[in-house]
Amino acid sequence: MSFLFGGQPKLSSAEKVAAAETEVEMISDMFNRLVQSCTKKCIPPDYREGDLNKGESVCLDRCVAKMFEVNVKVSEKMQEVSGAKGGAGGMGFGM
């Protein structure tokens, strides 16, 4: 019951592995959605060259940067909401 005093609850090794697997799945999903979305937006399906041209490269850079920026903002907002719901500033929950 250490979480009552501001500490993280103790997780078993199986719970830690499950949490790590979930995190890897979430990151993989985000990466796959990023690749699919930015490729669809920036690279025409009838490409004729093996390399990216300047416009495609710049488009991909901006698309990826925007996706990461949105991801950071959403994560911050979720932590803020989680902290508000946890009362007392979210002592040890989700932080």
Side-chain angles (χ1 to χ4, degrees), residues 1-4 8 12-13 15-17 26 31 34 37-38 42 44 47-48 53 59 63 66 70-71 82 88 95:
M1 292 222 178
S2 64
F3 65 90
L4 293 176
Q8 292 286 347
S12 69
S13 60
E15 290 173 324
K16 290 178 184 177
V17 169
M26 288 173 36
F31 175 77
L34 179 140
S37 176
C38 292
C42 298
Y47 58 91
R48 295 182 181 96
N53 65 33
C59 180
C63 183
K66 286 179 183 179
V70 167
N71 188 10
S82 175
M95 297 279 177

Side-chain angles (χ1 to χ4, degrees), residues 38-56:
C38 292
T39 300
K40 184 177 179 181
K41 178 181 178 185
C42 298
I43 301 175
D46 60 341
Y47 58 91
R48 295 182 181 96
E49 301 173 8
D51 295 330
L52 296 173
N53 65 33
K54 179 99 173 161
E56 293 166 342

